[in-house]
Each structure stands twice: as structure tokens, then as C-alpha cells.
Amino acid sequence: MGKMARARIMRAASEGVPLRALLYARASADKEKSVDDQADECLEFCEDEGFDVVQVLRENKRSASRYATKERPQFKKVLELMRSGTVDVLVTWENSRAQRDLEVYVELRKICEEFGVLWAYGGDVYDMRDPADRKATARDAVNSESESEDISVRVTRGVRRRAKKGLWHGSRQYGYKREHDPDTGKPLRQVIDPVQGPIVREIVDGLLAGHSVNSIVKSLNDRKVPCSRSGEWNASKIRYFAMSPVYLGKRILNGEVIADGQWPALVTPVEHYTLVNLLTNPSRVTHKDGTRAKHLLSGIALCGRCGSTMGVIKADGYPSYGCRRTRHIVRNKARVDAFIEAALFAALESSDAADVFRVSQGEEIADAFAEAKVLRARLDAFYAQAAQGKLSATGLAAVEADLLPQIEKAERKAEQAMLPPALLGLVGPQARQVWGTLEPVQKRAVVRTVMTPRILPVGKGARNYNRLGVEPGFHHQDGQAA
């Protein structure tokens, strides 16, 4: 204890006016000395020194290092009380409980000097107006920050080592749970949560089926399905679940996939990369059928005479497709739907369907996306150099001329390797069976993906009576009218 601090304490005792003490206890992890234990030791110290404790502030699970991501509201209150003139001495268990960041130490020291507040820790009392005490506390502050740096390095090494082994870190992801050793409480494995896992699958399946992000958000909130990190479901959460490699069974570190995770995947590679393309491709067109759409071709099939879309009307007492502009073409809805479904099944069940509809393996898609991502990262680095004045406009133009075509080629390759989302599970001999399980909005998404039917004029007279005059309009070939 410095001379100035000791003199002030003795003077207060002789005058019968005890120093007003503010206690602050902080712990950043459960394995550290608890805030209650810290407070108890500080209270004993105050009793021994004759301090009058005016308030005890506790802060649990809060880091004081410069790497901290959460604020310390109680420490802010400490500084406010010190500035208010209602505190004579700040008492902490040790120097590092107040700070592990030299910038914070400097601020605390200035407040102590300006408002005459002593700082007590480790069984000693320091007066920041005393050069010797400033030197002693500064040395302890440097050691506290250095220890924090060492801890950070050790933690980072440990996290990277676990990541390379595919082990989890931190709080569990929505959709999973951890099983623990019943004796030690140590986590043993990460498995699919029986309640949350199906919710993730519901989100993925809904997007692949053609449902919009907003419709999925509304459905989950209307049913009051519990959300990750509390609160309500929103579009950003849906997009995260759809695109996060975690659900592909991959371990991520600093935003990059670093290893296969030691937990089961909730989505397949094809599903994952299909959704990434679906939700990030700026050129994609979205159709908002909603949940009320019930006709297979309304708003999709085109009039073969004027090009307008066909709607559903009643003709001769039967539901029919009719041109929305003039109704000069009208055709029986049941016959048209049956013809389109038959043409669709024939195409989806054909031996070359996988090639026609671009079914690919997840690895091929992943490689194409990875190539595009690396090229874009290189381009972004050049943009950053240009923004800092390290690359001229002419140089940047040359870089763009080189990289942009490569990026476009890689992204086009990824898109060409991609199975359209609406077709997942439909390509192959099971097409009719899967089709029967789909909702109207899902069937419409399939039709939009592979064809644009046209209903043609067939002329009048008995010989044209049974002509349907429908052209499937498959996107990969010229259609034939029935």
C-alpha cells in the first residue's frame, strides 16, 4: 500500500468518517472464481480496513478483454458512480476483474485521479495521484492484458484443433442437441434433435417445393413453432437454415468450411447447393402463387393465338382454360391437365431424364461454387486495393476484364450442374408416385420449371372436335401439339 493511500485511510479513521467503498465482482467463465466468492473476500477486506460498503455490483459471464463481444453494463455503472462523487474507493478482487484492456485501464486511472477515488485489489490500496501507485497498477494492468492475450491464443488454438477434427464449439445449432456423459457431464456427441430437426427439414423441403420464404415464416409463426434464440421467425433465419453448411454436416471456422463435422447431416449435398443457388441467384424470378392456387396451368399456360395467359372459366358447364384477354380459345381443363401430366411423366421417367433435367452430384456443384467463390474473393481484394488508392482505375479495369468472365463461366457451370429445386425426387421411375403427394403450388412449380404449355386454335367442324390442341412447350425441346 502506498504512502498516500495509507495516509488517506488513517486520516478518514481519525476523523470518524469511513471511506465509502464500491465493490465490483466479475467472472467471465464458470471455472473462474465466482462473483459471490470475490464479493465475500472484498467485503472481509472492507471490514478489516473500516470501509463503509455503499454498493456491491456483480457481473457474470462477461469478458473484460479487448476481444469481448458483450458490453459490461455493471462496469459502466461503476464508472458513473465514481464520477458522481459518491464513492471514495473502488474494491475489486484483483486488477484483472476491472479490466484486461489497457485502454480501459487508462480511462479508469484518469477517473480515479480526477475524482480522488482509491482503487483496492489483492489486499492493497492504490492512490492514482501517487506516481509509485500508478506504476504498480500499470504493471498489473499490462500483465492482465497479456494474460488475456495468452488466453485468447490458447482458446484460438483449441478451437482450430477441434474444428479440424470436425468437433463442435460454442452453443449448439438449432436442429441439434448434445448428449452428455451421465457421470462427468462432458458432451459426448451431437445428434439431431427430435423436435427441432424436423423443423429444419420442413424449411428445406418447403423451399425446394417452391414455397416462398415469407410463406414459410408465416406458417411457423402462425403455429407458434419455437424459434432459435427466442423471438419470432423471420426471413434471415429461414435463409440461414437453408444455406448453412452446418446442416450439410460440415464444420465451419471463421465463415469457411474446414472439415466434415462429427454430427449427422440434415440436408443432402444436392439439396444444399440447390438452395444456395436458389436463394443467392439475383437473376431468379419468383412466382407468388400463395397457398390458394389450385389449378395446374392457370396463369402459366399461354394462348396460342395472342400469347396471353390462360385463366379458368366455366364453358358448357365444365371448368375450362380460357384466354384471359378475349377468351377466343377455350379448352376443357380436365383434358388439358391430363395431357400435360402424361407428357410430364413421360419426360421425367425417360432414360435420359437425368441429363435432360441436369441432375448432378453434389460434389460437382460444390466444386463449381467453390471456384466461383475463390474468383470473387480475388476480385473483392482488388476492389479493396482500388478503394485504398493502391490500384489505379486502369489496373482495376484490366483485373475485371480478366476475372469477371472467369467468374461468369464458373457460376454458369454451377447453375448448369444444378437440379432445379422443384424437381428434386421427381426424376426417375417414381415420378408419378411423388407427383401424387404434391400440393397444387408444388405441382405448378414443377410445370413452370420444365415447360410453358400453349393452347392452340384447332378450328371448327366435326373433324376437329376431339383435337385438344395443346403443346407441352418443354424448355429443352420443341413441343408437339396433341
Side-chain angles (χ1 to χ4, degrees):
M1 185 180 301
K3 292 181 179 180
M4 293 180 64
R6 173 55 65 189
R8 185 172 171 188
I9 293 173
M10 293 179 64
R11 183 169 62 252
S14 64
E15 294 175 352
V17 182
L19 296 179
R20 299 163 297 179
L22 168 63
L23 275 59
Y24 175 70
R26 180 192 65 81
S28 58
D30 294 337
K31 63 183 179 181
E32 291 185 333
K33 193 176 187 68
S34 73
V35 291
D36 288 337
D37 287 345
Q38 292 176 38
D40 287 344
E41 288 193 21
C42 290
L43 286 169
E44 290 180 10
F45 174 80
C46 289
E47 184 178 353
D48 292 341
E49 295 292 336
F51 296 160
D52 181 17
V53 177
V54 295
Q55 196 165 355
V56 179
L57 297 177
R58 295 174 172 84
E59 204 126 54
N60 217 351
K61 295 185 178 180
R62 285 292 188 273
S63 170
S65 79
R66 60 192 184 96
Y67 302 106
T69 58
K70 296 180 180 179
E71 292 188 350
R72 291 193 288 158
Q74 295 292 67
F75 185 69
K76 285 187 175 181
K77 189 174 181 180
V78 166
L79 300 183
E80 291 172 1
L81 289 171
M82 291 171 65
R83 292 189 184 98
S84 70
T86 59
V87 174
D88 299 314
V89 56
L90 169 65
V91 183
T92 61
W93 180 60
E94 60 179 24
N95 183 291
S96 64
R97 296 307 88 196
Q99 58 75 42
R100 284 190 182 275
D101 181 345
L102 287 178
E103 290 187 7
V104 177
Y105 164 75
V106 170
E107 180 185 11
L108 179 62
R109 190 180 73 178
K110 286 181 178 178
I111 294 174
C112 287
E113 284 187 83
E114 182 177 354
F115 295 94
V117 178
L118 303 176
W119 183 11
Y121 63 84
D124 283 321
V125 183
Y126 302 92
D127 189 330
M128 295 300 112
R129 296 171 179 175
D130 185 335
D133 284 357
R134 285 200 303 272
K135 183 177 180 179
T137 56
R139 182 182 60 248
D140 292 340
V142 169
N143 291 336
S144 295
E145 184 179 81
S146 177
E147 182 181 357
S148 174
E149 298 280 352
D150 293 341
I151 292 172
S152 176
V153 170
R154 291 195 297 270
V155 169
T156 301
R157 284 178 183 167
V159 169
R160 176 166 289 278
R161 185 167 56 251
R162 287 179 59 83
K164 287 183 176 180
K165 293 180 179 179
L167 296 171
W168 58 87
H169 176 73
S171 57
R172 66 176 180 83
Q173 292 284 338
Y174 185 90
Y176 292 98
K177 69 174 185 176
R178 289 179 188 157
E179 296 180 344
H180 298 79
D181 186 295
D183 297 324
T184 65
K186 180 180 179 181
L188 299 175
R189 63 188 66 87
Q190 185 163 278
V191 298
I192 295 174
D193 186 281
V195 176
Q196 296 179 352
I199 300 301
V200 176
R201 276 304 323 177
E202 177 184 339
I203 293 169
V204 170
D205 292 338
L207 290 170
L208 293 173
H211 295 295
S212 69
V213 171
N214 289 336
S215 68
I216 294 173
V217 169
K218 185 176 186 304
S219 173
L220 293 171
N221 285 331
D222 287 349
R223 287 150 45 206
K224 300 188 183 305
V225 175
C227 182
S228 62
R229 302 183 186 279
S230 69
E232 290 192 335
W233 292 92
N234 55 44
S236 63
K237 291 178 180 178
I238 298 299
R239 290 172 64 87
Y240 171 78
F241 289 144
M243 296 192 293
S244 173
V246 168
Y247 299 107
L248 185 58
K250 302 295 182 181
R251 178 65 165 91
I252 305 172
L253 182 65
N254 299 326
E256 298 291 334
V257 173
I258 194 171
D260 290 332
Q262 293 189 23
W263 58 83
L266 275 164
V267 300
T268 67
V270 170
E271 289 173 330
H272 173 76
Y273 293 109
T274 298
L275 287 175
V276 169
N277 184 57
L278 176 70
L279 295 173
T280 60
N281 188 346
S283 64
R284 69 188 180 96
V285 178
T286 57
H287 300 278
K288 298 181 179 179
D289 281 336
T291 58
R292 293 177 294 177
K294 56 184 179 179
H295 303 295
L296 182 63
L297 302 177
S298 61
I300 298 176
L302 302 179
C303 172
R305 178 173 294 174
C306 69
S308 298
T309 56
M310 306 290 283
V312 175
I313 62 172
K314 272 207 171 182
D316 297 329
Y318 295 98
S320 303
Y321 289 116
C323 174
R324 283 177 169 171
R325 179 177 293 178
T326 62
R327 295 192 181 180
H328 47 236
I329 292 182
V330 177
R331 211 60 44 84
N332 181 276
K333 176 181 177 296
R335 291 184 62 200
V336 173
D337 286 351
F339 172 78
I340 289 298
E341 287 185 348
L344 188 60
F345 296 151
L348 292 173
E349 294 172 350
S350 66
S351 59
D352 63 347
D355 293 327
V356 169
F357 296 113
R358 301 177 298 178
V359 179
S360 178
Q361 296 299 315
E363 291 79 5
E364 180 183 345
I365 301 169
D367 290 344
F369 270 110
E371 181 183 357
K373 186 174 182 179
V374 169
L375 291 170
R376 281 211 172 274
R378 286 178 57 193
L379 183 59
D380 289 342
F382 283 115
Y383 282 145
Q385 290 183 31
Q388 297 169 6
K390 297 179 180 179
L391 182 65
S392 67
T394 303
L396 181 60
V399 169
E400 287 182 324
D402 177 45
L403 289 181
L404 285 176
Q406 295 184 56
I407 293 171
E408 182 180 355
K409 181 180 178 181
E411 290 180 341
R412 186 165 59 247
K413 179 181 177 182
E415 291 173 8
Q416 290 173 348
M418 191 71 61
L419 172 66
L423 300 186
L424 286 179
L426 272 170
V427 176
Q430 75 285 358
R432 296 168 194 264
Q433 181 180 357
V434 175
W435 179 265
T437 67
L438 301 183
E439 299 174 5
V441 66
Q442 295 170 291
K443 293 180 178 180
R444 287 169 59 85
V446 172
V447 172
R448 277 198 177 100
T449 298
V450 301
M451 60 170 66
T452 305
R454 294 175 68 238
I455 301 180
L456 309 172
V458 296
K460 298 181 180 180
R463 66 191 183 96
N464 291 315
Y465 181 77
N466 287 323
R467 283 194 63 194
L468 188 58
V470 177
E471 184 180 276
F474 282 105
H475 298 158
H476 65 280
Q477 64 182 28
D478 294 330
Q480 297 294 324

